[in-house]
Amino acid sequence: MRFHDGIVGLALLVGALALVAYARSLPAMPGQAFGPGFFPTLVGAGLGLTALVLVFRGIAAGRAQRLIEIEPGLRDPRGLAAVAVVLGGVLFYLLAADWLGFLIVAPLVLLALFRSQGVGWLLGVVVAVVATLLVHFAFYKLLRVPLPWGILTPFAW
């Protein structure tokens, strides 16, 4: 990473808390073991754990006093753009998933994250689409977690 682990960790922690708060607002599904908030909560927990690892890694490296300061790497537009893409991706998912559907929003967010890290277009699109389909199959078909279909509701399978 080109910028401070602690700053990135704090940004991810904010995103994780927002995602979990959103997931808790979703209604329970009668007769379902897992409701629609299960997947966002799982993603939020993963982001939260990653955030804590980054924060503690920054502290362990003796940089605790610099968590509040602006890290020189954050003055680099690429560093700021990467933080903005992560937070923007979480916000975009929260705002657009119900309207557009998981199958549209998830690959867009993944592709934006991949591109912000320098992954090429072709590889980014392929991995984003395949990962989205695998996650959708695992949660929607195997775990029976209802994921938002959005505008694709007429084509739900």
Side-chain angles (χ1 to χ4, degrees), residues 2 30 35 45 50-51 63 66 70 74 82 90 95 102 133 139 150 157:
R2 293 188 177 130
T50 302
R63 300 186 225 155
R66 293 185 351 179
I70 295 179
L74 281 177
V90 171
L95 296 175
F102 177 82
L133 292 174
F139 280 86
W157 39 274

Side-chain angles (χ1 to χ4, degrees), residues 12-152:
L12 283 176
L13 190 57
V14 169
L17 292 174
L19 191 58
V20 170
Y22 166 75
R24 293 182 54 86
S25 72
L26 297 174
M29 300 293 291
Q32 296 280 337
F34 302 104
F38 180 74
F39 180 68
T41 301
L42 187 65
V43 171
L47 280 175
L49 288 174
T50 302
L52 292 176
V53 167
L54 289 173
V55 168
F56 287 121
R57 192 167 88 178
I59 291 171
R63 300 186 225 155
Q65 72 279 4
R66 293 185 351 179
L67 283 176
I68 299 172
E69 299 172 1
I70 295 179
E71 181 68 21
L74 281 177
R75 292 186 192 119
D76 178 5
R78 290 175 296 181
L80 288 173
V83 171
V85 168
V86 170
L87 294 177
V90 171
L91 184 62
F92 178 66
Y93 183 86
L94 292 175
L95 296 175
D98 286 337
W99 178 58
L100 293 174
F102 177 82
L103 291 173
I104 294 174
V105 174
L108 292 175
V109 170
L110 284 175
L111 182 60
L113 291 171
F114 292 153
R115 292 293 299 150
S116 74
Q117 297 301 313
V119 176
W121 279 102
L122 180 61
L123 179 61
V125 168
V126 169
V127 172
V129 169
V130 169
T132 298
L133 292 174
L134 288 174
V135 167
H136 185 269
F137 177 76
F139 280 86
Y140 190 73
K141 290 293 185 182
L142 299 178
L143 296 174
R144 302 208 187 284
V145 174
L147 295 172
W149 281 93
I151 60 175
L152 298 177

